[in-house]
Amino acid sequence: MYGNYLDKAAKIVEKKREENLKFEHARLTAEEKDDLLLKFHPDRIKKQFVELKIGPNKGQNAPIELAEMLQAKPRIEPEKIDLKHIDYESDVLVIGGGGAGTSAAIMASEAGAKVLLVTKLRVGDANTMMAEGGIQAADKPNDSPAQHYLDAFGGGHFDGKPELVYTLVNKAPSVIKWLNDLGVEFDKEADGTMVTTHGGGTSRKRMHACKDYSGAEIMRTLRDETFNRADKITVVDFTAAIEIIKNDKGEACGAVLMNIETGEIRIAKAKVVIIATGGAGRMHYQGFPTSNHYGATADGLVIAYRAGAKLLYQDSLQYHPTGAAYPTQILGKLVTEKVRSLGAKLINKDGEVYIHPLETRDVNASGIIREVREGRGVHNDVQDAVWLDTPMIEMIHGEGTILKSIPAMYKMFIKYGIDIRKEPILVYPTLHYQNGGVEIDKTCHSSVKNLLVAGEASGGVHGTNRLMGNSLLDVVVFGREAGIEAGKMYKKIKLSDNLSLKHVKDFEKERTAAKIKGNAVSPKVLPTYHHGNTEFDKEIPGATL
């Protein structure tokens, strides 16, 4: 139960539910979408972005919070770091323990490489684990990778790199088979046929899911496979990469690591480095809540940028339209798009269906923001919002559908006395995905030699908007591609003895010349939700915190 005011507001939705269930809102025209995005999408608010003064993307815009990290002081003082004392040595160094990092580690080890996987939390503590709705793949008779390409490329406003979108959609069916063979428990019919559903912006039912625990199930399987390869993959957790190490030729050849519990500095040397550090939701751009895990602080972008890697679409973020907006305890938590694909519609305070529920995410997010700003939102003491009319689901599909298909959603709300089978829920956009990142080619190479990037830390796969189900696909497809590529590369590369942090010193000179002020240090490593000092804030040898 919501309480007096919200109970009355919910009654308006209940009263018009039968009528709204029959009403099908028309899709917006291209012109209507463009106008809505221009007026209401957070990416279009010019004052929330600043021009980068230094680095490979000098002259381009970035969110204020990201720009500060890209141009901040390094955490280390290079002259205090002993690069002759090597703590870890491997053929392939993978930075990040989510879906992309584990996929890369598995494929590199399959090629015979000795792999070191470092992650600042634990393997599986990643946005992959928190993805709910599903993973796209055109593997049904009425579908094709070509159709998937048109949906993904168009959904990204035709800004994606064509070769990356091509790789994404063409590798998708084989990735689903690979995951299934590894043991992922996809939803299936009694005869073994995989169940597929629609997502926003998709023209075919190609969403493969595991109830609404899809990311957790995929991550469970990849994590287990990683640990099963302990003879080839060494995992070091609670350890953040805070700087890329290069050799005298300017090639990536390792990383400076920091134990986040003790602050101790360690040196890792490798033939190939793969960045798979995930997203940036915990940067809380523009003050938005986030659906992201605790470690999503754009570290990969920062260390790659300082090493000289070019970024692409760093000014494009995805605000998932349906983040929980009530109660406070779950503010920003993801309400999977699968809720809308099952039939729940978005309703304003007047009980009106104001938009089609499966418009692309940027369009639906902008629509919600419009309704709230123009006074048609539902006022409450947490976050003004709109309704997502979840009881519609069982009116369409029958009693028991919610517990069968989206049990995580039911459990998330019932803890606070809200039964989504009987009551609508309040939603507002939540910072969900980093559309842009380090620019890569189809085999995950960045502009720095021997530095590969995969997953959410890369840019170009989704253009400037991502469709549901293409993120889990992205992390596995390009995680695998990075691992396969590294598995080929390491055999032709000798471990370098000439380790250098000269690029860090050069970056500091750029900062001075550009007169960049402020005491911020980067990478951020972990978000700050406290006031005052903690153990993590204290100075440690060789590092500035």
Side-chain angles (χ1 to χ4, degrees):
M1 302 294 290
Y2 286 103
N4 289 338
Y5 172 74
L6 289 178
D7 277 344
K8 290 178 182 177
K11 289 290 183 185
I12 297 172
V13 180
E14 182 182 354
K15 190 174 181 180
K16 299 187 71 172
R17 184 167 293 136
E18 289 279 0
E19 177 186 342
N20 284 334
L21 191 60
K22 297 172 185 175
F23 175 69
E24 191 69 26
H25 197 287
R27 294 277 190 169
L28 299 181
T29 66
E31 291 76 17
E32 288 171 332
K33 290 179 184 179
D34 287 344
D35 183 60
L36 182 61
L37 292 169
L38 182 62
K39 290 179 180 177
F40 296 101
H41 196 275
D43 280 358
R44 309 299 176 94
I45 304 173
K46 292 183 180 180
K47 66 181 181 180
Q48 297 292 340
F49 298 82
V50 295
E51 185 177 300
L52 293 169
K53 297 180 179 179
I54 59 174
N57 292 76
K58 180 180 177 180
Q60 296 181 9
N61 286 341
I64 293 169
E65 300 87 346
L66 178 60
E68 181 183 45
M69 288 295 98
L70 291 174
Q71 301 178 139
K73 297 177 181 178
R75 283 190 171 273
I76 61 168
E77 297 175 50
E79 59 275 8
K80 294 184 179 180
I81 303 300
D82 183 4
L83 295 177
K84 292 181 181 179
H85 181 83
I86 308 301
D87 299 283
Y88 305 103
E89 192 173 289
S90 63
D91 297 318
V92 178
L93 168 63
V94 177
I95 303 170
T102 51
S103 295
I106 290 166
M107 298 314 294
S109 70
E110 200 165 280
K114 178 184 175 185
V115 180
L116 175 68
L117 187 153
V118 298
T119 178
K120 66 180 174 185
L121 297 174
R122 300 165 299 180
V123 175
D125 285 336
N127 282 346
T128 303
M129 178 67 79
M130 305 179 81
E132 295 167 349
I135 177 171
Q136 286 201 48
D139 58 359
K140 292 293 180 71
N142 69 333
D143 203 358
S144 70
Q147 193 65 43
H148 189 179
Y149 182 97
L150 291 173
D151 289 346
F153 195 45
H157 302 297
F158 305 98
D159 290 327
K161 294 180 72 171
E163 66 273 24
L164 298 184
V165 185
Y166 181 89
T167 300
L168 180 80
V169 302
N170 278 283
K171 297 286 185 180
S174 60
V175 157
I176 292 294
K177 183 180 184 305
W178 182 67
L179 290 171
N180 186 65
D181 290 346
L182 283 178
V184 171
E185 297 284 352
F186 287 110
D187 296 340
K188 297 175 183 176
E189 303 287 0
D191 64 358
T193 302
M194 290 201 187
V195 175
T196 51
T197 59
H198 270 302
T202 61
S203 59
R204 300 289 187 276
K205 291 182 178 181
R206 68 172 71 96
M207 201 69 55
H208 301 64
C210 314
K211 303 277 190 295
D212 52 352
Y213 296 104
S214 301
E217 172 61 11
I218 289 171
M219 192 69 252
R220 175 195 67 81
T221 306
L222 293 174
R223 181 184 58 210
D224 287 353
E225 184 65 16
T226 298
F227 289 141
N228 286 343
R229 294 170 175 263
D231 59 327
K232 283 286 186 180
I233 303 173
T234 300
V235 173
V236 179
D237 53 17
F238 297 108
T239 298
I242 56 173
E243 219 61 76
I244 296 297
I245 297 172
K246 299 168 80 171
N247 61 22
D248 53 356
K249 297 177 183 177
E251 302 164 336
C253 63
V256 178
L257 311 176
M258 183 180 73
N259 182 298
I260 66 168
E261 295 177 300
T262 66
E264 293 173 283
I265 298 296
R266 295 286 182 262
I267 304 299
K269 182 164 76 167
K271 297 176 181 180
V272 184
V273 179
I274 301 174
I275 288 177
T277 51
R282 292 289 168 169
M283 299 285 282
H284 292 290
Y285 298 122
Q286 300 186 36
F288 270 80
T290 185
S291 63
N292 284 188
H293 83 107
Y294 194 64
T297 50
D299 295 357
L301 273 65
V302 170
I303 61 176
Y305 193 71
R306 200 139 55 215
K310 190 175 180 181
L311 306 181
L312 180 65
Y313 302 137
Q314 70 279 353
D315 57 346
S316 176
L317 289 306
Q318 181 169 90
Y319 296 83
H320 195 292
T322 54
Y326 187 94
T328 304
Q329 295 93 326
I330 54 172
L331 177 64
K333 283 274 197 177
L334 183 64
V335 176
T336 174
E337 193 164 309
K338 191 173 182 180
V339 176
R340 283 175 284 133
S341 72
L342 286 170
K345 295 181 181 181
L346 293 161
I347 313 286
N348 63 24
K349 76 168 185 178
D350 301 318
E352 297 172 344
V353 177
Y354 64 88
I355 200 168
H356 194 285
L358 291 180
E359 293 285 5
T360 56
R361 287 179 171 179
D362 54 351
V363 171
N364 258 325
S366 300
I368 293 172
I369 293 170
R370 178 194 64 193
E371 294 301 293
V372 170
R373 286 189 187 167
E374 294 185 350
R376 295 183 296 277
V378 181
H379 178 69
N380 68 86
D381 58 5
V382 178
Q383 167 66 63
D384 288 358
V386 299
W387 294 109
L388 183 58
D389 199 5
T390 49
M392 285 184 169
I393 293 172
E394 300 205 336
M395 292 174 70
I396 297 169
H397 302 286
E399 189 175 338
T401 301
I402 284 176
L403 290 180
K404 179 183 177 183
S405 299
I406 49 171
M409 292 296 95
Y410 172 79
K411 291 175 183 176
M412 183 165 80
F413 283 92
I414 200 65
K415 284 191 290 186
Y416 305 103
I418 300 168
D419 187 340
I420 68 173
R421 298 171 301 179
K422 302 173 183 177
E423 302 167 282
I425 57 178
L426 289 167
V427 294
Y428 190 80
T430 183
L431 188 53
H432 185 59
Y433 196 83
Q434 178 179 282
N435 289 327
V438 181
E439 184 171 6
I440 60 170
D441 64 17
K442 64 182 180 180
T443 50
C444 301
H445 286 271
S446 72
S447 55
V448 175
K449 195 168 181 182
N450 299 342
L451 180 63
L452 310 182
V453 186
E456 197 174 346
S458 70
V461 179
H462 308 288
T464 50
N465 180 60
R466 178 181 66 75
L467 298 188
M468 172 195 182
N470 279 348
S471 60
L472 284 176
L473 182 59
D474 171 12
V475 299
V476 183
V477 166
F478 288 99
R480 278 172 50 88
E481 291 303 297
I484 291 168
E485 182 69 4
K488 296 174 183 175
M489 293 170 62
Y490 89 91
K491 297 170 185 176
K492 303 173 185 178
I493 301 172
K494 290 184 178 179
L495 278 169
S496 179
D497 291 323
N498 301 310
L499 307 189
S500 172
L501 290 171
K502 180 179 179 297
H503 61 284
V504 180
K505 296 179 181 178
D506 291 343
F507 197 84
E508 276 287 77
K509 291 176 183 176
E510 276 193 80
R511 289 185 78 253
T512 301
K515 298 180 181 179
I516 294 174
K517 299 178 181 179
N519 295 316
V521 295
S522 66
K524 197 176 186 74
V525 181
L526 293 174
T528 303
Y529 296 111
H530 66 83
H531 299 284
N533 294 326
T534 69
E535 285 299 313
F536 189 67
D537 293 320
K538 294 179 181 178
E539 189 172 337
I540 57 173
T544 305
L545 293 181

